[in-house]
């Protein structure tokens, strides 16, 4: 290869590295906004983040970036799209092309709206006051519609938004996979409801002191391999995980002293995201080969540790004695089998983040359909609460008694994240397919979990998924790792294996 190509490639890498440094500063501000910011600090924070977003956008769309990318895309370094240089150039070109289509004013306006929108949403949710939030959401939806038009699409505007979170996926492909899931899931959930089995869920709403939940949750996160020397756990109203550098991963949770699941499974979930972040290539951190491939794959990691590991009987064979010691009042007299049934109980409910593994996907379908209606079909924000309630009635058989328990429950739309929810269900499907494959290659995993051994699974995921970065698309990665394209079959097998015995189904 020519010396010019080599020099251009180094320049592109160092520019991209600088952009990811700026992006990590954005993450620090975002973490602080959601964990530490006093209420009245929001407008100034919005100014800070808007300014930074503008600077980042300017650097991305600098004509020199375009020159470098165009010339490298034609060079020998890009010949093999799966080589280190080929994948790096290909992915940076994709990022650049997307950025280039967005006007700076739109980027800044969306950043500003997302900080102010989140603050307005938080208050609206606390006080059940939809009207306090709806004017912000109306503006956000309007801007997201503009964004979709600016980016462009083949089939529908929603494709352009989905692509930000699940690159390469089309609305129609996702809709087809989720339709298959729905077809098998809805009658299965009905069968469970018809079984008449009483679930011992009362166990979970006993008293679990918050401080003990924190230490117990940290112990579990540590056991599965989350490195607290390279990360930390803090408290927030709306849990998330944010990577800020190769050795700085922040996870957050919230504690409810009268509900065990929320913090414990929340911590395992975020720690699962954290393991992905901590498992990325340090030498490429922030560049395509040291970044996560998609949010769906990210969510597959969190879901795997939360549900496939954390809600397994084997996991609790190991952890239950420690849980009984930590929470003697709540669990001292409860048998392992009852506790296991309680944490796996299936019951339609109003709140997505508290939903069980089976009904969870119905919550996502509601949002997936509403988002398409908002972006593709012109559903007005004013009509959203009504549309939300009627979908909950038809999918889950429940009508939210308030907007707080309905359309106001999630943070996403307030932050401009439209197209994001879908990745949660994709994550469940990816997780099931990866987990089956891991069990085939390095299992039986259940025996390892029962002995408190989680290292082999963590390392398998790191090698097969985390260290690949964005070398392959999510769809290619699934095929490479499991030998099959994504489908809902593995998830249904997982649910049947777990739930049929608990509910005495054939
Ligand atoms: Co997650």
């Amino acid at each position: 290869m020519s010396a010019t190509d080599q020099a251009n490639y180094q320049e592109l890498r160092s520019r991209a590295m600088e952009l990811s440094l700026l992006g990590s500063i954005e993450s620090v501000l975002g973490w602080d906004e959601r964990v530490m910011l006093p209420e009245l600090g929001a407008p100034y924070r919005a100014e800070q983040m808007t300014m930074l977003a503008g600077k980042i956008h300017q650097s991305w769309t600098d004509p020199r970036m375009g020159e470098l990318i165009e010339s490298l895309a034609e060079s020998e370094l890009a010949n093999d799209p799966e080589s280190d240089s080929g994948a790096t150039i290909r992915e940076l070109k994709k990022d650049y092309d997307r950025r280039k289509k967005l006007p700076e004013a739109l980027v800044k306006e969306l950043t500003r709206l997302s900080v102010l929108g989140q603050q307005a949403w938080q208050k609206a949710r606390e006080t059940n006051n939809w009207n306090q939030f709806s004017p912000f959401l109306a503006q956000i939806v309007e801007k997201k519609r503009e964004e979709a038009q600016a980016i462009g699409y083949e089939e529908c505007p929603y494709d352009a938004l989905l692509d930000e979170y699940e690159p390469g996926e089309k609305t129609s492909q996702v809709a087809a996979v989720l339709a298959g899931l729905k077809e098998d899931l809805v009658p299965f959930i009905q069968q469970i409801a018809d079984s008449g089995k009483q679930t011992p869920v009362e166990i979970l709403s006993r008293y679990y002191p918050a401080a003990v939940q924190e230490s117990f949750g940290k112990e579990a996160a540590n056991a599965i391999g989350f490195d607290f020397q390279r990360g930390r756990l803090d408290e927030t109203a709306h849990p998330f995980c944010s990577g800020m550098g190769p050795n700085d991963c922040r996870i957050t949770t919230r504690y409810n002293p009268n509900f065990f699941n929320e913090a414990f499974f929340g911590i395992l979930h975020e720690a699962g995201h954290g393991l992905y972040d901590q498992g990325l290539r340090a030498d490429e951190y922030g560049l395509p080969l040291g970044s996560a491939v998609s949010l769906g794959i990210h969510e597959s990691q969190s879901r795997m540790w939360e549900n496939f590991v954390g809600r397994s009987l084997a996991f609790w064979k190991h952890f239950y004695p420690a849980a009984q010691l930590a929470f003697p009042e709540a669990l001292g007299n409860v048998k392992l089998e009852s506790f296991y049934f309680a944490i796996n109980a299936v019951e339609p409910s109003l709140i997505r983040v508290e939903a069980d593994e089976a009904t969870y996907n119905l919550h996502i379908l509601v949002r997936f359909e509403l988002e398409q209606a908002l972006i593709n079909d012109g559903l007005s924000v004013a009509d959203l609460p009504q549309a939300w309630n009627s979908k909950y009635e038809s999918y889950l058989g429940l009508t939210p008694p308030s907007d707080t328990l309905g359309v106001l429950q999630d943070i996403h739309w307030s932050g401009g994240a439209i197209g994001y929810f879908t990745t949660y269900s994709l994550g469940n499907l990816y997780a099931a397919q990866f987990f089956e494959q891991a069990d085939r290659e390095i299992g039986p995993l259940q025996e390892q979990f029962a002995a408190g051994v989680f290292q082999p699974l963590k390392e398998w995921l790191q090698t097969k998924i985390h260290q690949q970065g964005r070398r392959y698309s999510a769809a290619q990665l699934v095929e490479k790792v499991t030998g099959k394209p994504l489908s809902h079959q593995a998830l249904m097998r997982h649910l049947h294996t777990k739930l049929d015995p608990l509910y005495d189904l054939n």
Side-chain angles (χ1 to χ4, degrees), residues 14-30 48-49 51-60 99 244 286:
S14 69
R15 280 175 177 265
M17 203 89 87
E18 200 176 295
L19 280 163
S20 90
L21 271 174
L22 285 169
S24 70
I25 296 169
E26 229 175 7
S27 301
V28 177
L29 287 176
Q48 294 170 322
M49 292 181 74
M51 183 187 84
L52 192 53
K55 299 274 177 216
I56 291 174
H57 189 75
Q58 285 162 15
S59 301
W60 259 113
R99 286 276 184 178
M244 300 177 182

Side-chain angles (χ1 to χ4, degrees), residues 7-253:
N8 282 348
Y9 183 56
Q10 286 316 319
E11 187 183 342
L12 179 66
R13 281 178 63 93
S14 69
R15 280 175 177 265
M17 203 89 87
E18 200 176 295
L19 280 163
S20 90
L21 271 174
L22 285 169
S24 70
I25 296 169
E26 229 175 7
S27 301
V28 177
L29 287 176
W31 175 88
D32 182 82
E33 181 209 334
R34 293 167 70 180
V35 178
M36 292 294 188
L37 193 69
E39 194 183 326
L40 296 181
Y44 200 70
R45 177 56 46 90
E47 297 294 321
Q48 294 170 322
M49 292 181 74
T50 302
M51 183 187 84
L52 192 53
K55 299 274 177 216
I56 291 174
H57 189 75
Q58 285 162 15
S59 301
W60 259 113
T61 53
D62 185 316
R64 181 64 185 153
M65 278 295 275
E67 281 169 32
L68 289 169
I69 285 172
E70 293 313 323
S71 98
L72 284 165
E74 303 297 321
S75 77
E76 268 177 49
L77 285 163
N79 277 354
D80 174 3
E82 292 181 1
S83 67
D84 279 14
S85 61
T88 301
I89 294 165
R90 179 196 72 214
E91 292 300 303
L92 289 175
K93 179 168 170 25
K94 211 186 282 173
D95 294 345
Y96 171 80
D97 288 344
R98 187 181 173 93
R99 286 276 184 178
K100 192 76 189 153
K101 291 177 188 160
L102 292 174
E104 186 183 333
L106 179 61
V107 171
K108 289 168 83 169
E109 183 58 8
L110 268 167
T111 305
R112 196 183 68 82
L113 279 172
S114 76
V115 177
L116 299 178
Q118 280 188 30
Q119 300 295 326
W121 162 77
Q122 202 153 323
K123 264 190 257 166
R125 179 173 171 268
E126 275 161 25
T127 54
N128 188 36
N129 185 349
W130 164 254
N131 291 333
Q132 192 168 12
F133 173 53
S134 61
F136 286 94
L137 186 58
Q139 291 178 69
I140 288 168
V141 168
E142 194 46 51
K143 293 291 159 193
K144 295 304 277 189
R145 286 175 182 151
E146 276 177 36
E147 181 182 326
Q149 294 306 325
I151 298 288
Y153 48 84
E154 279 169 37
E155 292 172 11
C156 63
Y158 191 72
D159 282 347
L161 302 186
L162 181 62
D163 192 70
E164 184 179 350
Y165 304 109
E166 204 60 21
E169 282 297 327
K170 292 261 184 307
T171 310
S172 57
Q173 292 164 328
V174 174
V177 175
L178 294 187
L181 176 65
K182 180 178 154 191
E183 205 180 301
D184 288 348
L185 197 56
V186 169
F188 180 53
I189 291 168
Q190 191 56 49
Q191 233 190 327
I192 287 174
D194 294 344
S195 75
K197 272 279 231 182
Q198 294 294 310
T199 52
V201 287
E202 169 275 327
I203 296 167
L204 302 171
S205 53
R206 294 178 180 175
Y207 179 58
Y208 295 87
V212 187
Q213 288 194 51
E214 183 183 349
S215 56
F216 187 66
K218 271 185 157 169
E219 199 184 309
N222 188 52
I224 64 168
F226 183 81
D227 184 350
F228 279 96
Q229 287 191 305
R230 302 169 58 212
R232 50 180 287 140
L233 170 68
D234 291 281
E235 205 175 333
T236 178
H238 311 285
F240 63 97
C241 167
S242 182
M244 300 177 182
N247 296 307
D248 186 1
C249 174
R250 309 294 176 91
I251 59 176
T252 61
T253 197

